[in-house]
Amino acid sequence: MQAFAERLPEHDLLFLGRDLRHPRVIAAWVEAIGEGAIDSLIAEDDQGRLVGAAALVRDPLGWSGHVGEVRLLVSPEKRGAGLGRDLLEGIYAIAMDRGLTKLTAQMTPDQIGSVMLFESLGFRAEALLKGQVRDRAGTAYDLTILSHDMPVAGKSRTAEDPA
């Protein structure tokens, strides 16, 4: 995971809240998976290199236990090939199994490909936080929050059929 994160542009990591290039952050992620607070999917290429990762982060003990935050990372060389969509659809299925009623995702608004992918699966812009994240050089970036209301229990629909 650390080698994968090191290959990603820093700008791709800004929405995570923590720098995934640090071993302690990865260790905390693995611990959260073990505790059931995170579900994670990974994708490898033919050589076994990690080329994509998705996570569904939730706090089942908090006030928003019904909400899951989706985090999605795809290596630049694999973008546009459907890998992000596959990972996002996998996370959506996990969210359905977990009984979540809302999903959120955060990204900088200039990550047009990511915004378009999430919107194509029914996510809509819900908030814009000005100057919310800063890179290592101190440059501030806005953060957009997209959300997606999950289907009502007993009514089946897919990520591609949000209504």
Side-chain angles (χ1 to χ4, degrees), residues 82-163:
L83 177 59
R85 177 175 292 275
D86 290 346
L87 288 168
L88 186 52
E89 287 176 350
I91 289 295
Y92 186 92
I94 292 169
M96 292 285 295
D97 289 343
R98 297 280 188 229
L100 299 179
T101 60
K102 184 175 185 172
L103 297 177
T104 64
Q106 300 181 33
M107 61 203 72
T108 57
D110 61 335
Q111 293 175 311
I112 302 298
S114 294
V115 172
M116 289 174 56
L117 170 61
F118 277 84
E119 287 181 342
S120 76
L121 294 175
F123 283 76
R124 296 292 173 251
E126 189 160 309
L128 178 67
L129 306 175
K130 298 283 194 177
Q132 181 73 12
V133 295
R134 291 180 189 258
D135 63 18
R136 287 185 190 190
T139 304
Y141 295 91
D142 297 344
L143 190 68
T144 189
I145 300 173
L146 305 177
S147 70
H148 177 68
D149 292 326
M150 299 295 286
V152 178
K155 181 181 174 190
S156 178
R157 75 180 184 221
T158 67
E160 292 179 338
D161 180 25

Side-chain angles (χ1 to χ4, degrees), residues 45-90:
D45 65 12
D46 294 337
Q47 290 77 41
R49 275 186 355 155
L50 190 61
V51 293
L56 178 64
V57 181
R58 60 198 182 290
D59 180 3
L61 301 177
W63 296 111
S64 297
H66 62 288
V67 178
E69 180 185 344
V70 178
R71 298 176 182 171
L72 179 66
L73 294 166
V74 176
S75 62
E77 69 272 10
K78 294 293 183 182
R79 293 179 188 167
L83 177 59
R85 177 175 292 275
D86 290 346
L87 288 168
L88 186 52
E89 287 176 350

